[in-house]
């Protein structure tokens, strides 16, 4: 399948704003040069809620999507507004499985501290984390370059330090994936 | 870097798996300690994340085993809130760090950074250690004991001269290696080094091998052929087991050493030769001279400088160094990941007398590496050590064995000759004769 035939689905889940999905789709088109499509919003993923932690299991959302969503999209990025976790970590900004079909990212931790007001940088952060997780779906691994999109961000500060593009090695790895 | 996650909860194993996979690590998982140990027999693991609470074998038990069998593997303990004390205990037992579930992503990042740093330091240490090994090696001769250092100095000193050298040493001590080292350090190192084992060439062929022959010189001499003394031209001739050379050949060689000329068998024209002679023997040539088995004039001609290589039992300090060297060599050749000796093995290797010297040690380790299925060589891989457990490493002669056997039977029978003879299944008169012959006497209590 050629590069032009790839198709990325941006799937809002729950109460996430339209703007968030559009920003992510625009960045995917711009950075990955792949066609994107914002899909109709899915209902709140109550199945992934963990009562003990009062958080949503990112792995459960991915499992659900991979098992039940039968879209024709090449890859799917789920956008949500939930506090995501994986069992070992207190929280995650997003989650994807290496070479998988579906990733999930959340805008929840990008709001201004102690406030639900929009932070000016939150859409940019959401775009960066979406591109990062999408990179994993295309089999790209973490990069040691602190400015590269594939650099692992464990905090808002690290994420803010990342540029909106791949380093030359990751660009090459991405292009090789399609060649 | 290879990582293994040992946790009974699948969701935890999966979370780790995906995180490390995304960072490009080689990752494996195990459901319990037994499975982890089984997998470790097959593959080397750099870092291990171990849950403390697991059925069958706890994380602490697994940590203990890992530190015993694979001390270079870094272990990080994963623990839930409320078991911090156990985590501290684990740190005391050698765990590198611990993580309290659930942890912030940056905590795992920090732990990994620390481990990578630790591995860098360890790699640097190994590099420096290997450099040290190079320093303690001399042209493939390994040793750091005072006697070996002295030997290295002698080699260095005699190499530049053209004096003949006689190397003395028991079998397997590395006489040829010393000869090669002298040649390598000499001004003749651009020319050939030719080694001949005089014990393996029949006397009738020795002249033809050393001096060469003309076509038709004897039956089967279908072509003219250069001898070793011509082939070696400009280089070093090493005559191993020189004590085996016949008296006639000693005379011929003595003449060559004095005239620097040879005459091919079946020819009458002399050919100039230029070589340095290094000889070696495990025999006592002086005793052979006394018995007229070795010519004194030839002995003094080949023995301008004598180098004595000590047997391995007299330089036991070198055994760990040599053993490590051979272990690396053969684990590399056999592509096995065996990288150390288990706890008591080195002590046992040091306790053995090594009658076959370095060669015996090398063969023993080669055999052990081939048969071993573990990452560390244990005493079981050296069956001869088990056989000599009683400490009797010396090989007894037939007479000594007989004497020992008679003594044992007499002691058992309380020096009752009739009973002792029955035990030995020999005639009573024969036993009396043997007691007299060996001058056996009852020990006074």
């Amino acid at each position: 399948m050629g590069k032009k035939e790839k198709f990325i689905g941006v799937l809002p889940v729950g109460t996430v704003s339209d703007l968030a999905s559009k920003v992510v789709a625009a960045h995917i088109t711009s950075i990955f040069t792949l066609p994107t499509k914002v899909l109709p919003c899915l209902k709140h993923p109550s199945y992934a809620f963990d009562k003990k932690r009062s958080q949503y299991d990112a792995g459960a959302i991915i499992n659900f999507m991979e098992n039940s969503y039968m879209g024709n999209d090449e890859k799917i990025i789920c956008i949500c507004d939930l506090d995501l976790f994986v069992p070992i970590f207190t929280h995650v900004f997003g989650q994807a499985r290496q070479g998988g079909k579906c990733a999930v990212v959340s805008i929840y931790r990008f709001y201004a501290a102690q406030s639900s007001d929009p932070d000016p940088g939150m859409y940019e952060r959401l775009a960066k984390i979406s591109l990062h997780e999408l990179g994993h779906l295309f089999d790209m691994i973490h990069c040691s370059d602190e400015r590269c999109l594939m650099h692992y961000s464990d905090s808002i500060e690290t994420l803010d330090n990342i540029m909106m593009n791949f380093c030359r090695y990751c660009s090459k790895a991405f292009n090789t994936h399609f060649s | 870097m290879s990582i293994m996650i040992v946790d009974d909860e699948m969701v935890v194993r999966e979370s780790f798996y995906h995180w490390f996979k995304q960072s490009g690590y080689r990752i494996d998982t195990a459901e319990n300690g037994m499975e982890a140990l089984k997998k470790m027999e097959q593959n080397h693991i750099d870092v291990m994340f171990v849950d403390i609470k697991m059925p069958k074998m706890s994380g602490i038990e697994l940590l203990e085993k890992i530190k015993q069998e694979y001390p270079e593997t870094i272990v990080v303990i994963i623990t839930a809130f409320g078991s911090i004390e156990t985590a501290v205990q684990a740190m005391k037992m050698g765990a590198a760090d611990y993580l309290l579930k659930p942890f912030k992503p940056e905590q795992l990042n920090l732990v990994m950074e620390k481990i990578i740093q630790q591995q860098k330091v360890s790699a640097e240490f190994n590099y420096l250690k290997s450099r040290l090994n190079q320093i303690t090696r001399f042209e493939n001769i390994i040793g750091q004991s005072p006697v070996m250092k002295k030997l290295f100095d002698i080699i260095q000193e005699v190499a530049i001269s053209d004096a003949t050298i006689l190397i003395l040493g028991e079998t397997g001590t590395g006489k040829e290696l010393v000869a090669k080292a002298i040649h390598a350090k000499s001004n003749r190192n651009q020319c050939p080094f030719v080694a001949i084992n005089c014990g393996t060439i029949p006397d009738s062929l020795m002249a033809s091998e050393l001096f060469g022959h003309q076509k038709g010189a004897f039956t089967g001499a279908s072509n003219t052929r250069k001898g070793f003394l011509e082939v070696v031209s400009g280089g070093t001739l090493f005559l191993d087991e020189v004590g085996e050379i016949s008296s006639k050949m000693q005379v011929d060689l003595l003449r060559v050493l004095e005239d620097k000329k040879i005459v091919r068998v079946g020819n009458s024209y002399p050919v100039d030769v230029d070589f340095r002679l290094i000889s070696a023997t495990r025999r006592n040539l002086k005793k052979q001279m006394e018995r007229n088995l070795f010519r004194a004039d030839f002995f003094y001609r080949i023995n301008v400088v004598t180098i004595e290589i000590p047997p391995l039992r007299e330089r036991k300090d070198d055994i760990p160094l040599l053993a490590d060297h051979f272990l690396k060599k053969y684990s590399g050749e056999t592509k096995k990941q065996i990288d150390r000796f288990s706890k008591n093995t080195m002590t046992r290797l040091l306790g053995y007398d090594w009658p076959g010297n370095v060669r015996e040690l090398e063969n023993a380790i080669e055999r052990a590496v081939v048969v071993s299925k573990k990452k560390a060589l244990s005493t079981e891989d050296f069956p001869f050590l088990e056989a000599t457990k009683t400490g009797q490493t010396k090989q007894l002669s037939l007479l000594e064995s007989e004497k020992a056997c008679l003594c044992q039977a007499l002691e058992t029978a309380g020096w009752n000759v009739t009973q002792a003879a029955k035990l030995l299944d020999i005639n009573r008169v024969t036993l009396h004769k043997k007691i007299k012959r060996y001058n056996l006497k009852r020990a006074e209590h």
Side-chain angles (χ1 to χ4, degrees), chain B residues 32-80:
Chain B
N32 53 54
M34 313 293 276
E35 192 188 343
L37 287 171
K38 207 171 177 185
K39 283 187 171 180
M40 283 191 88
E41 280 177 18
Q42 310 296 323
N43 294 307
H44 171 78
I45 301 292
D46 293 311
V47 188
M48 207 168 200
F49 286 81
V50 178
D51 186 25
I52 282 191
K53 281 187 182 169
M54 286 189 292
K56 290 180 188 170
M57 182 190 282
S58 75
I60 294 289
E61 282 173 278
L62 178 61
L63 169 70
E64 204 176 346
K65 282 198 188 302
I66 297 287
K67 285 292 139 192
Q68 245 173 31
E69 296 291 318
Y70 311 95
E72 75 287 5
T73 298
I74 296 169
V75 179
V76 177
I77 292 293
I78 318 164
T79 177

Side-chain angles (χ1 to χ4, degrees), chain B residues 41-297:
Chain B
E41 280 177 18
Q42 310 296 323
N43 294 307
H44 171 78
I45 301 292
D46 293 311
V47 188
M48 207 168 200
F49 286 81
V50 178
D51 186 25
I52 282 191
K53 281 187 182 169
M54 286 189 292
K56 290 180 188 170
M57 182 190 282
S58 75
I60 294 289
E61 282 173 278
L62 178 61
L63 169 70
E64 204 176 346
K65 282 198 188 302
I66 297 287
K67 285 292 139 192
Q68 245 173 31
E69 296 291 318
Y70 311 95
E72 75 287 5
T73 298
I74 296 169
V75 179
V76 177
I77 292 293
I78 318 164
T79 177
F81 182 74
S83 51
I84 303 261
E85 274 179 27
T86 329
V88 173
Q89 186 198 340
M91 295 284 283
K92 282 181 187 167
M93 287 170 66
D97 214 331
Y98 73 90
L99 285 164
L100 195 64
K101 275 192 291 189
F103 39 85
K104 288 181 180 172
E106 60 255 45
Q107 283 175 303
L108 182 55
N109 247 357
L110 275 175
V111 167
M112 286 311 292
E113 273 172 26
K114 192 176 142 189
I115 288 169
I116 289 165
Q117 191 60 30
Q118 204 172 324
Q119 285 219 324
K120 268 187 191 168
V121 173
S122 165
E124 217 169 282
F125 170 76
N126 286 337
Y127 168 75
L128 291 171
K129 205 173 153 192
S130 72
R131 290 282 300 140
L132 186 69
N133 277 347
Q134 281 171 16
I135 294 165
T136 52
R137 288 174 60 161
F138 188 92
E139 299 287 325
N140 283 331
I141 307 165
I142 299 166
Q144 58 184 10
S145 56
V147 278
M148 289 308 281
K149 282 180 182 164
K150 203 174 160 190
L151 180 71
F152 297 158
D153 288 342
I154 295 171
I155 292 172
Q156 199 78 264
E157 279 170 29
V158 300
I160 42 168
S161 82
D162 232 5
T164 57
I165 294 170
L166 179 65
I167 303 170
L168 303 175
E170 290 179 10
T171 180
T173 45
K175 296 185 284 291
E176 187 168 337
L177 279 180
V178 170
K180 277 183 179 166
I182 294 169
H183 172 71
K185 297 273 167 193
S186 74
N187 298 329
R188 295 177 178 270
N189 59 12
Q190 300 299 314
C191 298
F193 172 88
V194 176
I196 304 169
N197 188 330
C198 303
T200 59
I201 302 174
D203 201 36
S204 53
L205 288 178
M206 197 62 161
S208 154
E209 291 293 319
L210 286 175
F211 307 127
H213 58 252
Q214 281 298 116
K215 185 179 176 183
F218 49 84
T219 314
S222 50
N223 288 306
T224 298
R225 193 187 144 201
K226 280 184 179 178
F228 287 128
L229 294 178
E230 271 186 87
V231 172
V232 75
S233 182
T236 305
L237 179 72
F238 175 59
L239 292 182
D240 199 3
E241 299 305 343
V242 73
E244 309 299 318
I245 293 182
S246 69
S247 294
K248 186 191 172 298
M249 186 50 65
Q250 288 173 35
V251 175
D252 290 346
L253 273 172
L254 185 62
R255 191 173 301 138
V256 174
L257 288 171
E258 279 167 3
D259 300 345
K260 300 282 179 194
K261 285 181 196 305
I262 57 156
V263 178
R264 284 183 195 161
V265 177
N267 201 344
S268 51
Y269 299 104
V271 180
D272 289 337
V273 285
D274 171 33
F275 64 92
R276 186 209 197 149
L277 181 69
I278 301 178
S279 315
T281 184
R282 62 190 156 91
R283 289 187 187 277
N284 187 334
L285 291 184
K286 279 185 182 164
K287 274 192 180 170
Q288 280 198 295
M289 271 160 52
E290 283 165 16
R291 291 183 205 155
N292 287 328
L293 292 170
F294 206 81
R295 292 181 63 97
D297 46 2

